[in-house]
């Protein structure tokens, strides 16, 4: 029913606004000015995001380097403590009898975690 009514309606004529060249120039200038401001704003935001990304990357690089140095220090400490423990264990009588200390100390924590999850 509604479709039939729409088909029977006469076409709508759009009235074109009669404007002077001055009005067109003014509207065009307003649109261009708004567009120029939008472009400036967009470029500024893009530069800000880029700068923030660079800053974050540099911060993360510095943090990563610090963590790598910490890992090296802790690895050296671990080796020192293993050596110290082995010296102590070799001097003690029967506290560590039946335990393969070399094998125990040669395993890294990751290897132990992998072995225990497989069991």
């Amino acid at each position: 029913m509604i479709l039939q009514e729409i088909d029977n309606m006469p076409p709508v004529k759009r009235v074109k606004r009669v404007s002077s060249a001055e009005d067109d120039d003014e509207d065009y200038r307003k649109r261009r000015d708004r567009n120029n401001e939008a472009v400036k704003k967009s470029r500024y935001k893009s530069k800000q995001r880029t700068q923030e990304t660079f800053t974050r990357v540099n911060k993360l690089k510095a943090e990563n380097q610090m963590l790598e140095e910490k890992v090296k220090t802790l690895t050296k400490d671990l080796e020192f403590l293993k050596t110290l423990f082995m010296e102590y264990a070799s001097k003690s009588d029967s506290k560590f009898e039946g335990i393969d200390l070399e094998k125990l100390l040669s395993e890294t924590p990751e290897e132990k975690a992998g072995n225990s999850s497989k069991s």
Side-chain angles (χ1 to χ4, degrees):
M1 284 188 176
I2 296 175
L3 291 176
Q4 290 173 348
E5 291 174 13
I6 292 174
D7 287 340
N8 293 333
M9 292 177 65
V12 177
K13 293 183 180 180
R14 294 188 180 175
V15 178
K16 195 170 192 179
R17 183 172 76 94
V18 178
S19 63
S20 65
E22 190 176 299
D23 286 343
D24 286 343
D25 287 345
E26 188 177 324
D27 287 343
Y28 173 78
R29 191 73 251 147
K30 285 180 183 178
R31 285 194 309 269
R32 291 300 314 140
D33 289 343
R34 278 195 313 240
N35 182 262
N36 289 343
E37 288 300 315
V39 167
K40 284 180 188 177
K41 186 177 178 181
S42 175
R43 288 179 182 155
Y44 176 77
K45 284 184 176 182
S46 177
K47 286 179 184 178
Q48 286 293 106
R49 281 192 301 268
T50 302
Q51 186 62 39
E52 289 170 4
T53 301
F54 281 130
T55 302
R56 186 163 184 254
V57 165
N58 290 333
K59 181 181 174 184
L60 290 172
K61 281 182 179 180
E63 183 181 354
N64 189 43
Q65 185 176 2
M66 183 186 71
L67 290 171
E68 286 177 355
E69 289 173 12
K70 189 173 183 177
V71 166
K72 286 178 185 178
T73 302
L74 291 173
T75 302
K76 286 180 183 178
D77 289 349
L78 178 63
E79 289 303 315
F80 172 74
L81 291 172
K82 281 182 180 182
T83 304
L84 197 63
F85 178 75
M86 288 301 293
E87 288 176 14
Y88 172 77
S90 66
K91 291 179 183 176
S92 65
D93 295 336
S94 62
K95 291 181 183 178
F96 303 103
E97 200 172 300
I99 299 174
D100 187 0
L101 295 176
E102 292 290 335
K103 182 180 178 193
L104 179 68
L105 294 178
S106 68
E107 289 182 350
T108 62
E110 294 84 19
E111 290 172 345
K112 286 184 179 182
N115 291 341
S116 64
S117 65
K118 292 179 183 178
S119 299

